[in-house]
Amino acid sequence: MNLIALVRTFYKGLDRMFKIINYGDVPFIYNNPVYMEKYAFARCSLIGYWKSVAELGREMLRPTLKIYSIPTGPLIFCGGSSNNEREFHFFSSLFAGRQCLDYSRESNLSFVPARQLKKTIVEYFISLLFIVLGCFYLFRIKLGPISFKYLVFYTKIYFFLYASLMRSKEKPRLLVVANDHTDFPVIASMLMQYFDVPVVYVQHAEISERFPALDFNVSILRNEISREKYQAIGPIQGDVFVVPRSPKSDMFERILRARVVVTPVVVYISSVYSESGLARCLSQLASNASVTSVSVKPHPRTDISSLNVGPNVALLSSVPTFDHVAVVPNSSVVVELLEQGVPVYQLFDLDDIGHDYYSFVEKGVTPAISFDDLTGKFWGGGGFYNEAWVERFSKFSPSIDSAWEAELPVLLDKIGLYLSVSGDHC
């Protein structure tokens, strides 16, 4: 065991996660009421620190631990959301015909079975080490219920996955992740660094300045604007490739068509939508005589059982193919819609994230609208979506032209080399 490397990767991963939540100054959208209540004792006070240390110790000193069944193939994945899996399928599609690169849940750490097993003596002492490391980090953050939840979950999973990999007979030759800031993918990435296993990052959504810096062996980004944002965040390590997730849509050109008459409207909500904001939006649209129909497309993680859209509003399970205009809050779905030729108008009051989180409006990719705009033909006039807009949008969508294709053979060769054994590819 390389103790220095283990401590370094443990803290490096923690910093990646805590950057997203401002090192404990947690944005409102992360305040899950379940954990707010469960860890209410975690406060910046003497008793708060004492109870937090005690709870961390209680969690880590159990006589058993969770051991994950590490996949035995040369390539494994880590990421449990539908968006992550979509990126894994995309990654596999780049290597069509190479069976060892096909994605399946059996090769995804987020879905493998786990067993509760008794700790060995060595594992017991390692759990003590992680308690100490976690306690030190308590004093580097603003302690609160959500920041403590992040810390205790991270520490447990790091220990469990480390022990699982140590017990495993062989290590993978490559890990693919589609998230660079949530616990399990971050932990898997850090431990692969510890075991000298290359890691490929496949970007699953747009990013902001809150994201951690790129430090993967290979990063497959969605567009040039993401590369620019990561460069502004910090020095980029490893090789970076920009590859579109889909070819240019046959319907893309429809976005340039003037819309000055009646039209259907689809409201796309994020996983942290504002109920009052959505209700007001739907009410305003219902009063608009130029809107032929109103639909709502929830985020994949939205609990639709508690979603109240009213009797005259359709609830969609996927992006519709019919011609429409989109009303969208802070969401990376913006780029996907624009690529399909759907004009997007951003209503930031649909969530509590703030104004222009992804800088789409600032970069001239989408126009912002208000509640008052919803009663008129906000999609008509002005000519926002024109040829000049296409030039601006090209930084967000490499599929607009074919320049990216020149780098693709280099990417494919590099992945092949990572998976080769004695010169023979898997």
Side-chain angles (χ1 to χ4, degrees), residues 60-80:
M60 296 297 294
L61 290 177
R62 298 178 188 272
T64 61
L65 79 168
K66 182 184 290 187
I67 295 296
Y68 301 102
S69 298
I70 306 299
T72 56
L75 173 67
I76 66 173
F77 301 83
C78 187

Side-chain angles (χ1 to χ4, degrees), residues 43-59:
R43 301 291 179 187
C44 291
S45 64
L46 184 61
I47 189 66
Y49 281 110
W50 172 253
K51 289 185 176 181
S52 298
V53 170
E55 176 64 16
L56 179 61
R58 187 186 70 83
E59 289 283 357

Side-chain angles (χ1 to χ4, degrees), residues 34 63 67 95 119 129 141 154 156 174 180 185-186 204 234 239 258 286 301 306 346 352 357 359 387-388 400 414:
V34 174
I67 295 296
F95 304 88
K119 290 178 182 174
L129 167 66
I141 61 174
Y154 178 94
K156 286 197 304 181
L174 188 69
D180 63 348
V186 167
H204 84 272
D239 297 305
R301 291 200 302 269
S306 60
Q346 291 203 259
D352 298 314
Y357 180 81
S359 302
E387 293 296 339
I400 299 303
K414 184 167 288 292

Side-chain angles (χ1 to χ4, degrees), residues 87-88 90-91 176-179 200-205 218-221 245:
E87 296 303 318
F88 297 152
F90 158 74
F91 177 83
V176 179
V177 297
N179 188 303
V200 175
Y201 166 60
V202 189
Q203 180 189 356
H204 84 272
V218 173
S219 297
I220 306 175
L221 304 184
R245 298 311 189 253

